[in-house]
Amino acid sequence: MTKANPMADEMRRFVGTDEKNPFEAMSERFDKAAQILGLDPDLYAVMRVPSREIKVYIPVRMDSGHIQVFEGYRVQHNFARGPAKGGIRYAPDVSLDEVKALSAWMTWKCAVVNVPFGGAKGGIICDPNQMSLGELERLTRRYTSELMDFIGPERDVPAPDMNTNEQTMAWIMDTYSMHARHTVTGIVTGKPVPIGGSLGRREATGRGVLFCVNEAIKRFNLTPAETTVVVQGAGNVGGLGAQLMHEQGYKVIGISDVHGGLVNRDGLDIPKVLDYINENKSVEGYPGADFVTNEELLEVECDVLAPCATENQITSENSPRIKCKILAEGANGPTTPKADKILYENGVFVIPDILANAGGVTVSYFEWVQDRMGYFWREDVVNERLEEKMVASFNELCHFSEKHNVDTRTAAYMLAIDRVAYDTRMRGIYA
Ligand code: GLU
């Protein structure tokens, strides 16, 4: 007997009820977009799941002399459009479901900005704040050597993510190169500039957020000087994003780190705030601003709210109290699907994460290209090409959303799924 709707059955099998499970959140959006697109059930079945999940146990000699074994993952979600691509995060609460979701988001993100990569993500369960530099180096090198057969410039290209940085990438590049017996700069992106990194990569995610916001405020007839901005997060994305917006004349009235947030309705001196955080390792005690909790910060009335920290910050619980016009998602997965509905009903214009934070992977793509050419671009060339990509993708997404009469999040997934589906269909499924 043939089934009336095989996709609906598949969907029931996958979608759970945990609002904060990132893989379920990703799947719910995927299903909705796939259904509106009328995605072929065979393509649906293939694209819905990762291509490969790798779990490694990483022995590390700690400074005490003893061995500690860490659990790590690399999930490669999709290769239809090119090598898999995505960062590696180090955190105590990393889980396989989180890494799976993040790997899928990389596939959709790369497709939204139309760079020739699939998606992947890695993670190691560890507390980098409790580890010495030597322990982190040994952890990184052993993790890399465990993944030797699965990563490579043509296979899967890691990058920084939460709690990893240029130094981490340099260790990965060196370890991979030692095994390969020659220097392979294209194995990772986000490297230090002198050893195959790209100018502008460090600021790229924040700059991408800025370019999206520049486009979005036009829809509200706002100029930067009239636009109030609240940024959650003061790291690579939030900190540099706030700094760039401040430089462009935006009025950044709120910013936070893990300890809490600062609010000053007259505008914060962002370079000063960032210097303060750098010195004191916390926003706490900064003079000339009100101190609020991270939850309170999200509810501050503003034109642009940019959650640039982590997942599940805007949920069914607090979304009715979010008072921004534009939500620019610098983090991956900051909003749950239940919150999506509430924000939509309240007329919030959402720049979805798979577009808003795609500046990082876009310049990663430029870095990979430069490594392969062995010819490095000027910073203004990198930034100009990034702007071109972000603006074009923003407009394509808005066009898609208007044409299909769907919210911008659904439009982003539809755009991405449509591209990956086309390429998968053209290549054919080797089944
Ligand atoms: N970790 C970043 C992200 O989530 C960058 C990934 C990359 O450059 O490959 O987009």
Side-chain angles (χ1 to χ4, degrees):
M1 206 176 81
T2 51
K3 283 182 191 163
N5 184 353
M7 197 186 287
D9 281 359
E10 280 285 301
M11 281 163 62
R12 268 191 292 277
R13 195 156 67 79
F14 277 109
V15 175
T17 51
D18 180 0
E19 183 181 357
K20 291 196 173 177
N21 179 310
F23 193 69
E24 286 181 14
M26 189 290 296
S27 303
E28 200 173 324
R29 272 85 169 240
F30 176 86
D31 287 345
K32 185 177 175 190
Q35 198 167 39
I36 300 172
L37 281 170
L39 185 67
D40 170 77
D42 288 346
L43 290 171
Y44 172 84
V46 170
M47 289 164 59
R48 184 70 159 64
V49 289
S51 175
R52 191 183 277 142
E53 293 173 18
I54 305 154
K55 187 181 197 178
V56 289
Y57 291 95
I58 314 152
V60 177
R61 188 162 312 273
M62 305 302 278
D63 293 347
S64 65
H66 294 295
I67 300 278
Q68 192 174 329
V69 179
F70 294 85
E71 190 171 315
Y73 313 102
R74 184 76 183 166
V75 178
Q76 298 172 329
H77 179 260
N78 195 288
F79 297 93
R81 293 166 51 82
K85 185 84 191 79
I88 299 171
R89 63 173 55 177
Y90 291 175
D93 57 354
V94 166
S95 71
L96 184 57
D97 262 6
E98 181 192 21
V99 178
K100 272 166 71 176
L102 289 160
S103 72
W105 281 326
M106 286 309 304
T107 302
W108 314 135
K109 191 184 300 188
C110 292
V112 164
V113 287
N114 217 348
V115 297
F117 289 135
K121 203 79 172 197
I124 302 179
I125 305 172
C126 64
D127 187 352
N129 296 320
Q130 303 298 320
M131 295 170 71
S132 70
L133 205 62
E135 289 168 342
L136 285 169
E137 175 173 354
R138 294 191 288 280
L139 176 76
T140 304
R141 288 188 183 278
R142 182 63 193 250
Y143 174 71
T144 306
S145 79
E146 292 295 332
L147 292 178
M148 269 311 282
D149 293 335
F150 300 100
I151 58 175
E154 313 288 344
R155 294 179 179 180
D156 177 2
V157 186
D161 198 81
M162 265 156 71
N163 296 323
T164 55
N165 54 27
E166 291 169 16
Q167 174 64 82
T168 324
M169 296 307 115
W171 290 328
I172 298 178
M173 192 273 266
D174 184 69
T175 309
Y176 188 90
S177 300
M178 289 295 121
H179 284 267
R181 321 304 280 174
H182 62 106
T183 296
V184 186
T185 52
I187 171 62
V188 277
T189 58
K191 297 178 292 295
V193 171
I195 51 170
S198 175
L199 291 167
R201 173 61 186 88
R202 188 185 294 163
E203 301 81 9
T205 313
R207 198 179 292 281
V209 174
L210 166 73
F211 290 147
C212 287
V213 169
N214 285 345
E215 292 307 298
I217 62 166
K218 292 182 193 161
R219 304 174 74 88
F220 292 85
N221 290 321
L222 285 168
T223 61
E226 297 162 340
T227 305
T228 52
V229 181
V230 169
V231 180
Q232 185 194 35
N236 175 265
V237 186
L240 292 174
Q243 165 110 24
L244 291 167
M245 285 196 253
H246 175 85
E247 281 167 16
Q248 282 247 319
Y250 284 89
K251 199 163 161 187
V252 183
I253 60 167
I255 191 164
S256 69
D257 68 2
V258 285
H259 304 281
L262 301 173
V263 178
N264 183 338
R265 290 220 65 93
D266 297 328
L268 291 161
D269 184 342
I270 292 298
K272 231 166 128 182
V273 173
L274 295 178
D275 281 348
Y276 184 90
I277 298 175
N278 212 2
E279 255 168 55
N280 299 279
K281 306 289 165 238
S282 170
V283 291
E284 264 176 295
Y286 179 81
D290 294 329
F291 185 72
V292 297
T293 64
N294 252 296
E295 293 74 36
E296 287 165 339
L297 181 98
L298 295 171
E299 295 171 21
V300 169
E301 193 170 342
C302 59
D303 297 310
V304 178
L305 174 63
C308 299
T310 185
E311 291 113 68
N312 299 324
Q313 297 304 295
I314 302 172
T315 64
S316 54
E317 197 277 313
N318 65 354
S319 52
R321 299 190 298 277
I322 300 287
K323 297 183 209 71
C324 62
K325 295 190 178 84
I326 297 164
L327 184 71
E329 297 183 333
N332 290 308
T335 311
T336 67
K338 281 189 177 145
D340 277 351
K341 289 194 189 80
I342 298 164
L343 296 176
Y344 186 66
E345 280 158 19
N346 291 346
V348 176
F349 181 84
V350 176
I351 313 171
D353 51 0
I354 56 175
L355 170 68
N357 70 36
V361 78
T362 299
V363 177
S364 276
Y365 165 54
F366 298 159
E367 180 173 332
W368 180 76
V369 168
Q370 292 171 76
D371 286 339
R372 285 155 62 104
M373 287 197 294
Y375 177 73
F376 291 85
W377 311 345
R378 285 198 321 266
E379 191 165 359
D380 60 318
V381 174
V382 172
N383 292 343
E384 203 177 290
R385 290 181 179 170
L386 172 64
E387 182 166 18
E388 209 177 285
K389 269 243 170 267
M390 296 306 295
V391 172
S393 307
F394 181 95
N395 290 324
E396 260 173 314
L397 191 145
C398 292
H399 181 72
F400 215 83
S401 144
E402 280 147 27
K403 185 170 148 203
H404 294 275
N405 196 21
V406 292
D407 59 275
T408 47
R409 167 116 41 224
T410 308
Y413 275 75
M414 286 170 70
L415 189 62
I417 293 169
D418 203 37
R419 285 187 177 148
V420 178
Y422 179 85
D423 297 346
T424 310
R425 201 180 304 114
M426 289 309 286
R427 288 178 65 153
I429 299 168
Y430 185 8

mmCIF file of all heavy atoms in Angstrom, residues 218-243:
data_model
loop_
_atom_site.group_PDB
_atom_site.id
_atom_site.type_symbol
_atom_site.label_atom_id
_atom_site.label_comp_id
_atom_site.label_asym_id
_atom_site.label_seq_id
_atom_site.Cartn_x
_atom_site.Cartn_y
_atom_site.Cartn_z
ATOM 1 N N LYS A 218 17.136 50.105 6.488
ATOM 2 C CA LYS A 218 16.551 50.834 5.347
ATOM 3 C C LYS A 218 15.061 50.545 5.233
ATOM 4 O O LYS A 218 14.286 51.385 4.817
ATOM 5 C CB LYS A 218 17.241 50.421 4.040
ATOM 6 C CG LYS A 218 18.665 50.860 3.914
ATOM 7 C CD LYS A 218 19.216 50.437 2.554
ATOM 8 C CE LYS A 218 20.725 50.586 2.510
ATOM 9 N NZ LYS A 218 21.325 49.797 1.421
ATOM 10 N N ARG A 219 14.685 49.320 5.619
ATOM 11 C CA ARG A 219 13.268 48.927 5.549
ATOM 12 C C ARG A 219 12.431 49.678 6.571
ATOM 13 O O ARG A 219 11.216 49.706 6.486
ATOM 14 C CB ARG A 219 13.126 47.412 5.774
ATOM 15 C CG ARG A 219 13.954 46.588 4.817
ATOM 16 C CD ARG A 219 13.900 45.124 5.169
ATOM 17 N NE ARG A 219 12.621 44.520 4.804
ATOM 18 C CZ ARG A 219 12.354 43.993 3.635
ATOM 19 N NH1 ARG A 219 13.265 43.987 2.689
ATOM 20 N NH2 ARG A 219 11.170 43.466 3.401
ATOM 21 N N PHE A 220 13.092 50.262 7.574
ATOM 22 C CA PHE A 220 12.380 51.020 8.610
ATOM 23 C C PHE A 220 12.670 52.518 8.484
ATOM 24 O O PHE A 220 12.386 53.286 9.401
ATOM 25 C CB PHE A 220 12.804 50.521 10.005
ATOM 26 C CG PHE A 220 12.328 49.117 10.295
ATOM 27 C CD1 PHE A 220 13.068 48.015 9.868
ATOM 28 C CD2 PHE A 220 11.137 48.888 10.965
ATOM 29 C CE1 PHE A 220 12.631 46.715 10.108
ATOM 30 C CE2 PHE A 220 10.694 47.598 11.220
ATOM 31 C CZ PHE A 220 11.438 46.509 10.787
ATOM 32 N N ASN A 221 13.275 52.900 7.345
ATOM 33 C CA ASN A 221 13.644 54.300 7.115
ATOM 34 C C ASN A 221 14.475 54.892 8.248
ATOM 35 O O ASN A 221 14.277 56.032 8.657
ATOM 36 C CB ASN A 221 12.402 55.169 6.906
ATOM 37 C CG ASN A 221 11.756 54.852 5.585
ATOM 38 O OD1 ASN A 221 12.467 54.618 4.604
ATOM 39 N ND2 ASN A 221 10.433 54.789 5.568
ATOM 40 N N LEU A 222 15.380 54.099 8.771
ATOM 41 C CA LEU A 222 16.244 54.576 9.856
ATOM 42 C C LEU A 222 17.659 54.822 9.320
ATOM 43 O O LEU A 222 18.099 54.137 8.384
ATOM 44 C CB LEU A 222 16.324 53.526 10.965
ATOM 45 C CG LEU A 222 15.118 53.349 11.884
ATOM 46 C CD1 LEU A 222 15.275 52.077 12.711
ATOM 47 C CD2 LEU A 222 14.967 54.557 12.806
ATOM 48 N N THR A 223 18.357 55.766 9.924
ATOM 49 C CA THR A 223 19.789 55.936 9.634
ATOM 50 C C THR A 223 20.550 55.361 10.843
ATOM 51 O O THR A 223 19.966 55.258 11.934
ATOM 52 C CB THR A 223 20.161 57.428 9.498
ATOM 53 O OG1 THR A 223 19.866 58.069 10.746
ATOM 54 C CG2 THR A 223 19.400 58.093 8.369
ATOM 55 N N PRO A 224 21.834 55.023 10.694
ATOM 56 C CA PRO A 224 22.570 54.490 11.843
ATOM 57 C C PRO A 224 22.473 55.380 13.073
ATOM 58 O O PRO A 224 22.248 54.898 14.188
ATOM 59 C CB PRO A 224 24.005 54.374 11.327
ATOM 60 C CG PRO A 224 23.841 54.134 9.862
ATOM 61 C CD PRO A 224 22.636 54.950 9.446
ATOM 62 N N ALA A 225 22.589 56.711 12.894
ATOM 63 C CA ALA A 225 22.586 57.619 14.046
ATOM 64 C C ALA A 225 21.266 57.573 14.817
ATOM 65 O O ALA A 225 21.232 57.838 16.018
ATOM 66 C CB ALA A 225 22.888 59.037 13.597
ATOM 67 N N GLU A 226 20.182 57.215 14.110
ATOM 68 C CA GLU A 226 18.869 57.164 14.783
ATOM 69 C C GLU A 226 18.582 55.779 15.364
ATOM 70 O O GLU A 226 17.532 55.564 15.953
ATOM 71 C CB GLU A 226 17.744 57.424 13.776
ATOM 72 C CG GLU A 226 17.754 58.772 13.132
ATOM 73 C CD GLU A 226 16.902 58.779 11.851
ATOM 74 O OE1 GLU A 226 16.623 57.714 11.265
ATOM 75 O OE2 GLU A 226 16.526 59.873 11.442
ATOM 76 N N THR A 227 19.495 54.829 15.119
ATOM 77 C CA THR A 227 19.197 53.433 15.450
ATOM 78 C C THR A 227 19.851 53.017 16.761
ATOM 79 O O THR A 227 21.079 53.087 16.906
ATOM 80 C CB THR A 227 19.705 52.511 14.310
ATOM 81 O OG1 THR A 227 19.125 52.971 13.092
ATOM 82 C CG2 THR A 227 19.315 51.066 14.544
ATOM 83 N N THR A 228 19.013 52.568 17.715
ATOM 84 C CA THR A 228 19.571 52.065 18.971
ATOM 85 C C THR A 228 19.795 50.555 18.862
ATOM 86 O O THR A 228 18.966 49.831 18.305
ATOM 87 C CB THR A 228 18.630 52.363 20.151
ATOM 88 O OG1 THR A 228 17.324 51.879 19.826
ATOM 89 C CG2 THR A 228 18.560 53.842 20.444
ATOM 90 N N VAL A 229 20.919 50.112 19.408
ATOM 91 C CA VAL A 229 21.325 48.714 19.259
ATOM 92 C C VAL A 229 21.665 48.123 20.630
ATOM 93 O O VAL A 229 22.332 48.771 21.441
ATOM 94 C CB VAL A 229 22.581 48.604 18.355
ATOM 95 C CG1 VAL A 229 23.002 47.152 18.169
ATOM 96 C CG2 VAL A 229 22.348 49.259 17.005
ATOM 97 N N VAL A 230 21.203 46.884 20.847
ATOM 98 C CA VAL A 230 21.598 46.132 22.043
ATOM 99 C C VAL A 230 22.268 44.836 21.563
ATOM 100 O O VAL A 230 21.720 44.127 20.719
ATOM 101 C CB VAL A 230 20.374 45.804 22.933
ATOM 102 C CG1 VAL A 230 20.746 44.811 24.022
ATOM 103 C CG2 VAL A 230 19.807 47.077 23.550
ATOM 104 N N VAL A 231 23.448 44.574 22.103
ATOM 105 C CA VAL A 231 24.205 43.389 21.679
ATOM 106 C C VAL A 231 24.393 42.459 22.870
ATOM 107 O O VAL A 231 24.900 42.879 23.917
ATOM 108 C CB VAL A 231 25.596 43.800 21.122
ATOM 109 C CG1 VAL A 231 26.390 42.573 20.689
ATOM 110 C CG2 VAL A 231 25.447 44.764 19.954
ATOM 111 N N GLN A 232 23.994 41.207 22.718
ATOM 112 C CA GLN A 232 24.280 40.222 23.769
ATOM 113 C C GLN A 232 25.557 39.481 23.378
ATOM 114 O O GLN A 232 25.605 38.843 22.322
ATOM 115 C CB GLN A 232 23.139 39.213 23.926
ATOM 116 C CG GLN A 232 23.390 38.275 25.105
ATOM 117 C CD GLN A 232 22.490 37.053 25.127
ATOM 118 O OE1 GLN A 232 22.149 36.524 24.069
ATOM 119 N NE2 GLN A 232 22.107 36.610 26.300
ATOM 120 N N GLY A 233 26.584 39.592 24.223
ATOM 121 C CA GLY A 233 27.850 38.925 23.915
ATOM 122 C C GLY A 233 28.922 39.955 23.620
ATOM 123 O O GLY A 233 28.655 40.965 22.961
ATOM 124 N N ALA A 234 30.126 39.707 24.119
ATOM 125 C CA ALA A 234 31.218 40.654 23.895
ATOM 126 C C ALA A 234 32.453 39.918 23.375
ATOM 127 O O ALA A 234 33.586 40.364 23.532
ATOM 128 C CB ALA A 234 31.540 41.401 25.187
ATOM 129 N N GLY A 235 32.234 38.789 22.748
ATOM 130 C CA GLY A 235 33.348 37.997 22.225
ATOM 131 C C GLY A 235 33.653 38.358 20.786
ATOM 132 O O GLY A 235 33.469 39.501 20.362
ATOM 133 N N ASN A 236 34.087 37.354 20.030
ATOM 134 C CA ASN A 236 34.491 37.605 18.646
ATOM 135 C C ASN A 236 33.351 38.194 17.819
ATOM 136 O O ASN A 236 33.560 39.087 17.005
ATOM 137 C CB ASN A 236 35.007 36.303 18.022
ATOM 138 C CG ASN A 236 35.337 36.464 16.553
ATOM 139 O OD1 ASN A 236 34.510 36.181 15.701
ATOM 140 N ND2 ASN A 236 36.520 36.957 16.258
ATOM 141 N N VAL A 237 32.135 37.714 18.032
ATOM 142 C CA VAL A 237 30.999 38.204 17.228
ATOM 143 C C VAL A 237 30.405 39.464 17.856
ATOM 144 O O VAL A 237 30.321 40.516 17.209
ATOM 145 C CB VAL A 237 29.917 37.109 17.071
ATOM 146 C CG1 VAL A 237 28.820 37.595 16.124
ATOM 147 C CG2 VAL A 237 30.508 35.804 16.593
ATOM 148 N N GLY A 238 29.973 39.367 19.126
ATOM 149 C CA GLY A 238 29.296 40.488 19.771
ATOM 150 C C GLY A 238 30.214 41.691 19.983
ATOM 151 O O GLY A 238 29.848 42.825 19.665
ATOM 152 N N GLY A 239 31.389 41.442 20.502
ATOM 153 C CA GLY A 239 32.328 42.528 20.808
ATOM 154 C C GLY A 239 32.739 43.273 19.543
ATOM 155 O O GLY A 239 32.619 44.501 19.445
ATOM 156 N N LEU A 240 33.204 42.492 18.555
ATOM 157 C CA LEU A 240 33.654 43.149 17.319
ATOM 158 C C LEU A 240 32.473 43.725 16.537
ATOM 159 O O LEU A 240 32.584 44.778 15.914
ATOM 160 C CB LEU A 240 34.464 42.170 16.460
ATOM 161 C CG LEU A 240 35.817 41.779 17.073
ATOM 162 C CD1 LEU A 240 36.520 40.706 16.261
ATOM 163 C CD2 LEU A 240 36.720 43.006 17.188
ATOM 164 N N GLY A 241 31.313 43.034 16.611
ATOM 165 C CA GLY A 241 30.109 43.553 15.945
ATOM 166 C C GLY A 241 29.704 44.895 16.538
ATOM 167 O O GLY A 241 29.425 45.861 15.823
ATOM 168 N N ALA A 242 29.688 44.977 17.880
ATOM 169 C CA ALA A 242 29.316 46.223 18.563
ATOM 170 C C ALA A 242 30.305 47.329 18.216
ATOM 171 O O ALA A 242 29.928 48.472 17.953
ATOM 172 C CB ALA A 242 29.284 45.986 20.072
ATOM 173 N N GLN A 243 31.571 46.962 18.189
ATOM 174 C CA GLN A 243 32.624 47.938 17.871
ATOM 175 C C GLN A 243 32.426 48.504 16.457
ATOM 176 O O GLN A 243 32.488 49.715 16.237
ATOM 177 C CB GLN A 243 33.975 47.210 17.962
ATOM 178 C CG GLN A 243 35.136 47.922 17.340
ATOM 179 C CD GLN A 243 36.101 48.432 18.397
ATOM 180 O OE1 GLN A 243 36.160 47.904 19.507
ATOM 181 N NE2 GLN A 243 36.835 49.455 18.061
#
